Amino acid sequence: MNEGYIPILFMLALATAFCVVVVILSRLVGKRQDSSEKLMAYECGNIPTGNARQRFPIKFYIIAMLFIVFDIEAMFLYPWAVIYKSLKLFGLIEMVLFVGILLIGFIYIWKKGALEWGSRNI
Amino acid sequence: MSLLAIGIALAKAVIVFVCLLLCVAYSTWLERKVLGHMQVRCGPLRVGWYGLLQPIADGIKLFFKEDIVVSGANKFLYILSPMIVMIAACASIAVVPFGDYIDVFGQKIYLRVADVDIGVLYIFALSSLSVYGITLAGWSSNSKYALLGGLRASAQMISYELATGLSIIGVLMHAGSLRPTDIVAGQDIWYIVKQPIGFLIFVICAFAECNRSPFDLPEAENELVPGFHVEYSSMKFALFFMAEYAHMIVVSALAATLFLGGWRGPVLPGIVWFMLKVFAMMFFFIWIRATYPRFRYDQLMKFGWKVLFPVALLNIVVTGIGMVIWG
């Protein structure tokens, strides 16, 4: 195992311990007086109607899918960027080609209207 | 790894974590104070000298508040999600270098918790994790406001994460490394000079990723109540609240490390320079909040995808061409 990561493990453990302890303590210390009205979901004082987990616009799914595609492509640029200095002109040409292909996809989704948020497209 | 090294690493982790919590507490004070003065008010004044004990009083108050689990909530995820957000925000400070090193009893102690070769990637990975916390918080609390806020927040955060990821590639090309210490070492001239567009995109995205004004759509108070954390109370709410400020501190520290020369600076010791830069960024965050109104949601998404993303790509190409021509 790489020793450089052990301090990160400490940090994660500390943060986790802090969160757990704080939540449990506040549960024990705070006064509690439950009533069914108090535990209702907040809807500006009205009695909530129906389940909150309803259908929502498909736009959010589209954004999530686009994000995955483009984020993976962005991740491919990271190792390239780190060794760019030694790649010189070859690296530049490769990258322009790669970004070009990425841009074609980007223009396609733009023209398709996947990035519009008007009421028509939802 | 020797026992001494483990002990030092543990001590550093504890100190950094406690300092981070203190900074979080006092940045809430700073925010209220600065906002107050910008709006010709005084801000907190009564608790302690100049309101300095206010964050502590707030913390104690939140501790003794009633802890509510809404009916119909998915209990496990409901409790887990604020923890995810807080852990992700706190643990990412681990790779940021605060200074060079100090001598303690002849032992060289480097002022960073961990020095890993993929430090920048690690910060981005962890900050993506906090999106899970926010989405799950919105979904699990069985409230329509919370669900809408959670959806908005996650869509906004992933959209701007894309541009953030691309905006720092210019810096990585100059530095030739993902290790934060190497990036600091490479900055004889601050990278903000070589990468002004990258810095601009990074800062805009930082605002959006921390859900700060003018991109505070997820918690738009006057349309969504507080958004994804509307059903949270007591310390679970406090964890969200603290995570927001911790995230701001981490992003400021990252901006200082990547673009503003990290801990490097003349005369004063490194750690002082670092804190100055971080708090200058924090002040900038607050200043913008006092200055600009909120975006509309379609404007926000349009800006992220149709302006920031192509500009960030273009920035990479221009940087690449520039580096080939001028070496």
Side-chain angles (χ1 to χ4, degrees):
Chain A
M1 199 193 136
N2 196 330
E3 284 184 351
Y5 290 89
I6 292 175
I8 288 183
L9 217 62
F10 288 155
M11 204 71 187
L12 279 169
L14 267 176
T16 314
F18 172 77
C19 292
V20 171
V21 165
V22 146
V23 166
I24 291 176
L25 263 186
S26 80
R27 184 104 185 145
L28 295 178
V29 163
K31 71 160 197 283
R32 299 186 63 204
Q33 218 167 26
D34 293 346
S35 67
S36 62
E37 284 82 15
K38 189 184 276 175
L39 297 183
M40 260 178 211
Y42 174 72
E43 229 160 83
C44 301
N46 293 331
I47 294 170
T49 49
N51 194 343
R53 290 159 197 152
Q54 293 178 348
R55 305 197 295 172
F56 54 82
I58 197 161
K59 288 297 311 179
F60 290 109
Y61 287 108
I62 296 178
I63 289 294
M65 283 190 292
L66 292 180
F67 165 73
I68 290 174
V69 174
F70 283 102
D71 205 41
I72 290 172
E73 299 192 57
M75 277 304 126
F76 282 138
L77 285 174
Y78 273 76
W80 165 84
V82 170
I83 53 162
Y84 181 72
K85 268 182 186 162
S86 50
L87 289 177
K88 296 255 163 52
L89 192 61
F90 170 72
L92 178 66
I93 294 167
E94 289 276 297
M95 187 268 300
V96 168
L97 282 177
F98 183 75
V99 171
I101 295 168
L102 216 156
L103 269 182
I104 293 172
F106 181 66
I107 292 167
Y108 175 74
I109 58 161
W110 187 325
K111 289 290 169 205
K112 267 285 183 190
L115 305 177
E116 306 298 328
W117 278 84
S119 51
R120 269 184 300 120
N121 307 76
I122 287 175
Chain B
M1 212 171 178
S2 69
L3 213 58
L4 181 67
I6 290 180
I8 290 175
L10 192 60
K12 278 199 290 196
V14 171
I15 291 170
V16 167
F17 188 70
V18 170
C19 287
L20 180 67
L21 286 184
L22 274 178
C23 280
V24 166
Y26 277 93
S27 43
T28 65
W29 175 84
L30 185 75
E31 164 136 46
R32 293 166 73 176
K33 211 68 195 170
V34 172
L35 265 186
H37 281 291
M38 281 178 178
Q39 295 163 350
V40 206
R41 300 181 283 117
C42 287
L45 205 59
R46 297 282 174 216
V47 192
W49 179 75
Y50 213 62
L52 268 174
L53 291 177
Q54 186 73 41
I56 294 161
D58 282 343
I60 293 172
K61 185 197 78 175
L62 279 166
F63 230 104
F64 286 94
K65 284 286 169 189
E66 186 173 350
D67 188 50
I68 289 176
V69 178
V70 221
S71 59
N74 183 325
K75 211 171 169 191
F76 176 67
L77 291 178
Y78 181 79
I79 296 172
L80 184 69
S81 43
M83 295 186 187
I84 297 178
V85 180
M86 184 65 182
I87 292 168
C90 288
S92 39
I93 201 81
V95 294
V96 176
F98 309 105
D100 201 5
Y101 63 85
I102 47 171
D103 270 315
V104 180
F105 304 121
Q107 185 87 21
K108 256 189 190 179
I109 294 187
Y110 288 93
L111 294 176
R112 69 199 71 117
V113 176
D115 188 23
V116 292
D117 47 4
I118 53 155
V120 178
L121 216 52
Y122 166 81
I123 292 182
F124 279 97
L126 270 188
S127 76
S128 321
L129 275 185
S130 63
V131 182
Y132 281 99
I134 286 173
T135 318
L136 289 177
W139 182 82
S140 66
S141 47
N142 194 29
S143 160
K144 285 158 197 135
Y145 288 117
L147 182 71
L148 278 176
L151 281 175
R152 275 188 179 191
S154 40
Q156 168 183 337
M157 284 168 89
I158 58 176
S159 299
Y160 279 78
E161 208 167 272
L162 202 56
T164 323
L166 290 172
S167 68
I168 61 154
I169 284 182
V171 169
L172 301 180
M173 286 160 74
H174 284 295
S177 173
L178 279 167
R179 190 191 291 269
T181 35
D182 289 350
I183 294 175
V184 171
Q187 296 187 67
D188 294 324
I189 311 163
W190 290 3
Y191 283 143
I192 187 176
V193 179
K194 291 179 181 170
Q195 286 288 322
I197 310 279
F199 181 69
L200 196 67
I201 297 171
F202 182 84
V203 169
I204 294 172
C205 292
F207 280 93
E209 281 207 52
C210 297
N211 297 332
R212 294 283 304 181
S213 183
F215 302 105
D216 57 348
L217 275 292
E219 358 186 330
E221 290 95 345
N222 27 25
E223 32 180 316
L224 271 182
V225 250
F228 58 87
H229 56 61
V230 60
E231 298 295 353
Y232 282 87
S233 69
S234 185
M235 272 330 258
K236 290 209 277 292
F237 164 74
L239 283 185
F240 275 123
F241 192 67
M242 286 156 80
E244 183 185 329
Y245 285 91
H247 204 163
M248 270 166 71
I249 292 173
V250 169
V251 163
S252 304
L254 194 59
T257 307
L258 291 177
F259 291 100
L260 303 176
W263 46 266
R264 293 173 65 172
V267 191
L268 294 169
I271 194 152
V272 176
W273 271 112
F274 184 77
M275 292 308 275
L276 274 178
K277 285 166 186 171
V278 169
F279 275 96
M281 279 294 291
M282 293 287 288
F283 180 77
F284 187 61
F285 268 93
I286 299 165
W287 190 5
I288 293 287
R289 177 173 173 188
T291 312
Y292 285 104
R294 189 179 298 137
F295 273 93
R296 220 170 53 214
Y297 198 67
D298 61 323
Q299 292 173 330
L300 167 100
M301 296 305 276
K302 216 179 266 176
F303 184 62
W305 281 92
K306 293 187 175 175
V307 180
L308 290 184
F309 179 66
V311 170
L313 271 184
L314 202 70
N315 183 44
I316 296 172
V317 176
V318 171
T319 309
I321 294 173
M323 278 178 71
V324 165
I325 293 176
W326 290 293

